[in-house]
Amino acid sequence: MEKNALADVESVGRHSSVPQELQDASVSRSDQRLRELGYKSEFRRDMSLFGVLGISFCAIGILTGMSSAFQTGLFSGGPLGLFWGWNICSLFMLLIALSLAEICSAYPTMGGLYFWVCKMKPETPMLGFCTGWIYSIAMTFTGTSGNLSVALYLASLAEVGQGRTLSRVEVAAIAWGVNVASGIINTIGTKAIGGMSTFNLWWTLGGTFVLVITLLVKAPVKNTAAFVFTDYENFTGWESRGFVVLLGFLQAVYTLEGCETAAQVAEEAKRAEILAPLAVVGSIVGSWLIGLAYMLALLFSVQSIASVQATSYAIPIAQLYYDAVGQKLTLMCLTVVALAQFMAAVTAFTASSRLFYALARDDAFPMKSKYMALNRFQAPYWGVWTSVLIGCIISCAYIGSAVAFNAILSSAAIAVMLSYLQPIIIRVFWPRTSLPDHGPFSLGCWSWAVNFASLLFTVFICVLFVLPTAHPTDALNMNYAIVAIGAVILLVGACWVFWGRLRFTGPVKTVKEEGAPEFEKGEKVGEGM
């Protein structure tokens, strides 16, 4: 990136020592770019570099994703698959982040993936509509999954601390409470979310340090380097070593999804065309390194993989902690991860509410005036509480069937990757026309190669996500993700056929050229620009 762009980032990051006139100029440049894209500024630009970076860190949730899905890799390939899968997937997720960051720098709006697709392929509004809806559903499901994970961590705390096993109804009730708490925090608005995301950034760094030191110091038996880097485990029933190791890749991809969330707060950030893409890329780089340190500590400290596989705890990682550091320190470790998980879930609802706002602004979502309404805290509260309501409804499925609930939520991970796929496909097959004007963050001559590699990996992961993870397959261990994501695609397709195609023609301007009055319904973005 150009040196002057980096200088701008540094000036924003040190906003406390920068003259107010320069801060106002940065905001004005961001608002001017937003006007050029056809939108008037509706949000206060209160987020600094750490706030925007923290949003992506929150969404990725490196401690939480690694802890919640660690057993997936441990049972599918063991330490060998976990270590090499983490580094390989991190590299390709970084390429995806670079692809998205380049687009984000050119189009820094809260519509994110949805707006990018509309802008790069305006003659096919269906693509943008479906991308926006699929991604909105994915973010809502991701928040719901995170809130249930918080409930499961609390259930594990009760199991470890008091020996009490919570029923599914009790876990679902806690999840409902966490959903409501997420809604309250999001209703307070931008400053609250920005402050929480900044806090989460430091909490993740400090928490990782504490967990790594605790595991390495207190574990009674330290595993050898040969075990950590070469030991192969297989609890899947499949005979192919290569396929089993690939199944372990899902843990890494699941953990690293979410870097694009910085785009959802682009209209609330200073110098969004610089800070948002930096946050997209920086969150993946940071998560790669932090996750690697945490993973190595877990692998050197795990006492018995069979014990983790046979655990009765709500979260299997609790068994690994308990075997390695004992009861009291296990409670501390679970508390660190549970708080990080809560902040990650809050961020998912931040993203979904902003997406509902962006879609409603462009006539791609019903009840436009409601979903565009902002409270006195500058929060799109209708989108926030729609996310909470959906989360509470889906949490009820956990009472009846954990298999059904997991199928619904596993579709979220696939939906995110499918949402990545749309803008990347456009950049690969229409490289010149899709992005005629680059922002400050540009890949230059490497752009097409990075996008092509990202495309191949995304398609590969989407296929891998729906393959059966256990053999022989039965009603209890079948991978129902294919059913769930199929239902999502059918729902979105039906919304387009029966509603969207009659109303949505592309992004809608909320400003006209200089000197012309602003308006609400507007005309298609791109006309007269």
Side-chain angles (χ1 to χ4, degrees):
M1 190 180 300
E2 299 177 359
K3 291 182 179 180
N4 62 340
L6 291 175
D8 287 334
V9 174
E10 292 173 359
S11 69
V12 173
R14 298 193 304 267
H15 65 278
S16 59
S17 61
V18 173
Q20 184 63 42
E21 293 81 3
L22 293 182
Q23 293 186 47
D24 292 341
S26 295
V27 171
S28 297
R29 285 195 292 271
S30 295
D31 286 342
Q32 178 59 34
R33 178 55 183 154
L34 190 62
R35 291 178 67 87
E36 291 170 0
L37 293 174
Y39 296 134
K40 64 180 179 180
S41 180
E42 302 278 4
F43 295 84
R44 289 190 295 267
R45 293 189 180 272
D46 291 330
M47 286 195 182
S48 64
L49 173 61
F50 283 107
V52 182
L53 184 61
I55 286 287
S56 285
F57 262 107
C58 268
I60 292 173
I62 191 64
L63 282 179
T64 60
M66 180 75 73
S67 300
S68 301
F70 186 74
Q71 70 277 1
T72 301
L74 197 61
F75 305 154
S76 303
L80 179 147
L82 277 167
F83 176 77
W84 296 107
W86 177 258
N87 287 288
I88 292 171
C89 290
S90 293
L91 174 60
F92 280 99
M93 292 299 285
L94 176 59
L95 296 180
I96 291 174
L98 288 169
S99 299
L100 300 181
E102 183 178 44
I103 307 172
C104 181
S105 184
Y107 305 127
T109 74
M110 68 169 52
L113 297 164
Y114 145 75
F115 182 84
W116 304 342
V117 171
C118 289
K119 189 69 174 177
M120 293 190 295
K121 205 66 179 164
E123 68 275 17
T124 314
M126 183 184 73
L127 284 179
F129 180 92
C130 293
T131 299
W133 273 69
I134 289 174
Y135 189 61
S136 298
I137 292 171
M139 287 295 98
T140 305
F141 283 7
T142 299
T144 302
S145 173
N147 288 328
L148 181 78
S149 293
V150 174
L152 292 173
Y153 278 109
L154 294 177
S156 292
L157 284 168
E159 291 170 333
V160 174
Q162 300 179 349
R164 179 170 180 254
T165 301
L166 273 61
S167 67
R168 285 186 184 175
V169 174
E170 290 173 315
V171 171
I174 295 173
W176 296 334
V178 178
N179 272 301
V180 172
S182 297
I184 292 173
I185 293 175
N186 273 290
T187 303
I188 296 175
T190 302
K191 283 191 175 181
I193 297 299
M196 185 203 70
S197 61
T198 301
F199 172 75
N200 180 70
L201 182 60
W202 297 110
W203 182 264
T204 299
L205 293 172
T208 302
F209 179 79
V210 170
L211 292 177
V212 168
I213 297 300
T214 300
L215 287 166
L216 294 179
V217 170
K218 297 298 292 183
V221 176
K222 310 296 189 302
N223 295 312
T224 64
F227 172 85
V228 170
F229 299 118
T230 65
D231 182 66
Y232 170 79
E233 302 287 342
N234 181 10
F235 291 83
T236 67
W238 291 104
E239 295 182 0
S240 171
R241 290 172 65 96
F243 181 67
V244 171
V245 171
L246 287 178
L247 289 176
F249 280 24
L250 299 179
Q251 175 267 343
V253 174
Y254 170 81
T255 302
L256 290 167
E257 287 182 338
C259 67
E260 76 294 340
T261 312
Q264 264 63 68
V265 294
E267 294 178 33
E268 302 164 68
K270 306 177 180 75
R271 293 310 308 272
E273 66 276 13
I274 297 173
L275 298 194
L278 277 182
V280 170
V281 176
S283 60
I284 288 292
V285 174
S287 296
W288 183 352
L289 299 176
I290 293 170
L292 182 60
Y294 181 40
M295 173 185 288
L296 289 175
L298 291 171
L299 292 177
F300 275 109
S301 303
V302 62
Q303 302 299 293
S304 170
I305 295 178
S307 174
V308 177
Q309 197 271 338
T311 187
S312 61
Y313 290 147
I315 292 286
I317 196 76
Q319 186 67 56
L320 189 154
Y321 289 147
Y322 190 89
D323 294 341
V325 301
Q327 181 190 37
K328 291 184 179 179
L329 288 176
T330 294
L331 295 174
M332 180 203 72
C333 293
L334 289 175
T335 301
V336 169
V337 179
L339 182 55
Q341 178 68 78
F342 174 69
M343 290 186 282
V346 170
T347 304
F349 282 175
T350 303
S352 62
S353 63
R354 269 61 176 176
L355 278 163
F356 291 143
Y357 177 97
L359 290 169
R361 180 169 61 183
D362 294 332
D363 296 324
F365 204 79
M367 300 174 65
K368 176 173 182 172
S369 62
K370 299 293 187 183
Y371 283 94
M372 285 189 66
L374 304 178
N375 64 12
R376 63 191 181 94
F377 300 109
Q378 293 283 291
Y381 58 97
W382 268 80
V384 169
W385 290 100
T386 296
S387 301
V388 172
L389 177 62
I390 294 172
C392 289
I393 293 173
I394 294 176
S395 296
C396 293
Y398 182 77
I399 300 174
S401 172
V403 174
F405 180 84
N406 290 332
I408 294 172
L409 298 184
S410 63
S411 67
I414 307 172
V416 171
M417 296 303 291
L418 287 176
S419 300
Y420 291 168
L421 192 60
Q422 307 308 313
I424 292 174
I425 284 178
I426 295 172
R427 291 291 293 131
V428 169
F429 290 100
W430 295 273
R432 296 186 182 276
T433 59
S434 60
L435 203 65
D437 299 314
H438 290 266
F441 188 103
S442 175
L443 299 178
C445 63
W446 293 98
S447 181
W448 191 86
V450 170
N451 281 293
F452 184 67
S454 300
L455 171 63
L456 295 179
F457 182 74
T458 305
V459 171
F460 170 73
I461 289 298
C462 286
V463 173
L464 191 61
F465 260 124
V466 299
L467 296 178
T469 57
H471 182 79
T473 303
D474 56 36
L476 293 178
N477 64 22
M478 176 183 170
N479 184 358
Y480 288 98
I482 183 65
V483 178
I485 194 61
V488 169
I489 293 173
L490 287 175
L491 172 64
V492 172
C495 288
W496 168 255
V497 170
F498 295 108
W499 188 84
R501 68 184 180 87
L502 305 175
R503 298 172 180 267
F504 179 73
T505 57
V508 172
K509 279 187 176 183
T510 57
V511 295
K512 281 191 174 182
E513 283 76 7
E514 195 68 29
E518 295 180 351
F519 57 98
E520 291 299 329
K521 292 299 289 184
E523 59 193 61
K524 188 174 178 181
V525 170
E527 294 175 359
M529 289 180 64

